[in-house]
Amino acid sequence: TAAPPGKDPADWDTSRKEDIEYLSKEIWRNRAISDTYEPGSTLKAITAAIAFEENLTNESEMFNDAPFKESGWTISCSSRVGHGIESMQQAFYRSCNPIFAQLALRTGINRYYDYLRAFGFMDTTGIDLPGEGKGILHENPARIDLATVSYGESSTVTPLQLATSYCAIANGGNLVKPLIVKSLTDAAGNVTKEYPAETIRKVISETTANRVLELMEGVVLFGTGSGAYTEGYRVAGKTSTSTDDNGDHTISFGAIAPADNPEIVVLVVLSKPGDKRTSSSGAARTVGQIVNRTLEHLNVPRQFSEEDMTG
């Protein structure tokens, strides 16, 4: 067997236990289901869903985005000084941390974490693949934990957990177990066995899911996710940039498309890019390309808007 990159071919021996373990952990590792990361602002879609479902806010409610202190820590927007007075809708488009921390605190610790559990963040998804991991959430959360998890920091998830939660938004509020195989066919192409989708639980109402989808589409049309805009397909999405204690970034973009009749969920995570100036727009552009090619492959018809036609 050829030596993997970075290994000396003269010393590589797949009969040795340590070399087999290296293959399993590094080369064959499915990072989408095994690795964890801070989801950052992609989790604001979940916070918004919780607040809507509990009737704690609406899109037009006005908030103050100024930095505020919680348990001795200062929570501020990425703009540092904040955007001032803005609507909840504007806060979602601009991805303002203080607003979502306020919404989570308004929800309360027990109620908020119950929703995180319902969305599947406390357990594995049960996908039929080896090595699935799960993120780390606070076992005994304090108010500061609640505030920071609202915008996806101080906790971790796997990419699959995040994508599965977005699927719940996409399909009207139902958390569905992810499957690898949809059906089996014989040599003639006839379906011999089907594997039906399994709904685990109802998490939010269809009305709430549609409201969050509309907010997410606004992120692409009017907010921080413009890089994911795709002509002929309505894309709903959310940007994210989280920073660890070493100053390294994890950049991601989660999307649902088409926004008006969802077919796919796409999540791109860029872990610790070498150029620290890299922004979430890079992940958004990548998602836009994936959405474009995937929906075209699935023969989903394009519906061009007037803006698409006029350029």
Side-chain angles (χ1 to χ4, degrees):
T1 303
K7 293 291 184 177
D8 185 352
D11 294 334
W12 182 251
D13 183 358
T14 52
S15 64
R16 290 190 308 196
K17 181 179 178 181
E18 57 266 33
D19 287 347
I20 295 174
E21 288 180 349
Y22 180 82
L23 285 173
S24 299
K25 292 180 180 180
E26 301 297 332
I27 306 302
W28 298 333
R29 186 181 183 87
N30 188 336
R31 299 189 182 279
I33 68 169
S34 297
D35 289 3
T36 61
Y37 74 109
E38 281 193 340
S41 293
T42 51
L43 209 69
K44 288 173 183 169
I46 305 302
T47 301
I50 296 170
F52 285 160
E53 187 70 11
E54 292 294 318
N55 198 27
L56 297 175
T57 190
N58 59 66
E59 294 84 345
S60 59
E61 182 181 358
M62 304 306 291
F63 289 85
N64 189 342
D65 187 40
F68 74 93
K69 283 192 176 293
E70 174 56 53
S71 307
W73 296 84
T74 300
I75 295 175
S76 60
C77 183
S78 59
S79 67
R80 297 303 173 195
V81 296
H83 294 98
I85 305 300
E86 63 184 355
S87 69
M88 187 271 183
Q89 181 188 64
Q90 290 172 318
F92 195 89
Y93 293 172
R94 296 167 175 169
S95 200
C96 299
N97 292 349
I99 309 307
F100 291 88
Q102 291 175 55
L103 288 175
L105 291 168
R106 186 181 292 183
T107 305
I109 291 174
N110 292 337
R111 189 160 43 163
Y112 189 93
Y113 279 82
D114 282 346
Y115 272 101
L116 290 185
R117 184 175 292 104
F119 270 105
F121 291 113
M122 301 290 194
D123 204 353
T124 58
T125 67
I127 193 170
D128 190 20
L129 288 173
E132 183 180 6
K134 62 179 179 178
I136 299 174
L137 290 171
H138 318 99
E139 291 187 4
N140 298 295
R143 281 176 59 87
I144 186 60
D145 300 319
L146 174 62
T148 54
V149 78
S150 71
Y151 49 87
E153 297 198 3
S154 76
S155 58
T156 62
V157 302
T158 65
L160 182 63
Q161 284 180 310
L162 195 282
T164 302
S165 73
Y166 270 36
C167 287
I169 295 171
N171 65 31
N174 296 309
L175 186 73
V176 177
K177 179 180 177 180
L179 295 174
I180 296 299
V181 178
K182 182 178 181 181
S183 62
L184 300 178
T185 60
D186 59 22
N190 302 307
V191 175
T192 59
K193 186 174 182 179
E194 290 187 309
Y195 295 85
E198 177 186 339
T199 298
I200 300 171
R201 67 181 71 91
K202 184 76 172 177
V203 183
I204 53 175
S205 68
E206 186 173 355
T207 299
T208 293
N210 288 336
R211 289 171 71 184
V212 177
L213 269 173
E214 190 170 336
L215 284 179
M216 293 173 70
E217 186 175 10
V219 170
V220 176
L221 294 175
F222 314 114
T224 56
S226 59
Y229 183 85
T230 304
E231 289 186 356
Y233 295 129
R234 290 169 57 182
V235 181
K238 189 69 192 74
T239 52
S240 171
T241 302
S242 59
T243 307
D244 65 19
D245 294 338
N246 298 319
D248 290 319
H249 301 312
T250 296
I251 296 161
S252 63
F253 190 87
I256 299 168
D260 53 332
N261 187 22
E263 291 282 346
I264 60 172
V265 166
V266 180
L267 174 64
V268 168
V269 181
L270 307 178
S271 180
K272 301 179 181 180
D275 187 349
K276 294 188 178 183
R277 296 170 299 176
T278 302
S279 70
S280 57
S281 62
R285 286 194 300 271
T286 303
V287 165
Q289 293 173 16
I290 294 171
V291 166
N292 185 53
R293 295 175 184 177
T294 303
L295 293 182
E296 199 170 67
H297 175 75
L298 294 174
N299 295 316
V300 176
R302 294 180 189 267
Q303 297 180 345
F304 294 99
S305 65
E306 185 175 332
E307 186 175 324
D308 290 332
M309 299 298 286
T310 59

